[in-house]
Structures are given as C-alpha cells and as structure tokens.
Amino acid sequence: MPVMIAASVLLATALTGLPAYVPVPGAAADDGASAVPAAATAPNLRACHDGRCSLTLRKSVSFRVSSRFGITRLAISFTGHSVRVKGTGPGVSSQALLGEGTTGSVNGIGVRVLSLSSGKAVLRLTPVR
C-alpha cells in the first residue's frame, strides 16, 4: 500500500475514532466479519412513551409521550454545553435547559444528563409523578 494512502487511513482513524481496516497484500481473507464498523444504532424512542428510558443521542429528537404528563410530545436538542428538553401538548409548553450531571423535569418527566459533548448526549428519563 502506498505510504500516502496508509497515512490518510491512519489520520482518518485518529480523527473519527473508528477502527482502521488496511488490507495487507497476500494476507489470508478474514472469517467473514465485516471490516466496516456497524452504524450506531438509533435510540428506541418508543420505549420513552411512558417517561422511563435511557437515551444516547447523536442528534436532536422528538417523540410522543403519554398524555398523563399533560404533554404529548418531547423534543430534545443539545450542544456541547447544554441539553434543551421541551414538552408540548394542547395549550401547553414547558422546557428545561440542563448541563452535564444535572437533573430537571418537564411536566412530570425527570431528565438526568449523564454525559454531554458536542456530538453526543446520554440521558435518563424517569417519571416524577
């Protein structure tokens, strides 16, 4: 493999944090396992309908929640510094702005920010009433 291509693969690996796959000429074929890492799984937002779930987010989401909370939809967005959780329903809107390690609630849905970066937010939702 030319040195320039190998250096590009190593640089891309360092920047993305993904494992590198560099074919070695004359090497035996692998056991059939994929050389490309599987895509990150999307969070199961339906599991959050009852206000109880753990989420690992890589982008903003919006999903339905039980009307027993007085809202019908929860929207979550984040930056590297804060998480915005907004609950909406017929004639009501409530929101919380949270930082890493903090806890808040939106209409009876408790939100704890377990970790936070510009590309990922890890949250735990629990009913508080």
Side-chain angles (χ1 to χ4, degrees):
M1 171 179 291
V3 174
M4 184 58 121
I5 293 174
S8 296
V9 170
L10 292 175
L11 178 60
T13 300
L15 294 175
T16 64
L18 297 174
Y21 174 70
V22 180
V24 178
D30 67 3
D31 63 357
S34 174
V36 178
T41 58
N44 180 3
L45 299 176
R46 287 186 180 192
C48 298
H49 187 265
D50 66 353
R52 182 180 310 276
C53 65
S54 293
L55 294 171
T56 299
L57 303 177
R58 299 195 185 282
K59 63 180 182 175
S60 298
V61 295
S62 178
F63 53 92
R64 294 187 53 74
V65 293
S66 173
S67 60
R68 76 180 179 103
F69 297 108
I71 57 175
T72 54
R73 182 159 293 280
L74 208 59
I76 303 173
S77 59
F78 64 94
T79 66
H81 304 290
S82 64
V83 174
R84 185 177 81 121
V85 183
K86 183 176 183 180
T88 56
V92 68
S93 178
S94 176
Q95 70 178 356
L97 190 62
L98 306 168
E100 185 172 18
T102 63
T103 302
S105 67
V106 174
N107 272 53
I109 299 177
V111 181
R112 175 146 179 91
V113 181
L114 301 175
S115 68
L116 181 62
S117 68
S118 61
K120 181 172 136 183
V122 180
L123 313 172
R124 182 173 301 132
L125 277 57
T126 54
V128 292
R129 53 170 139 148

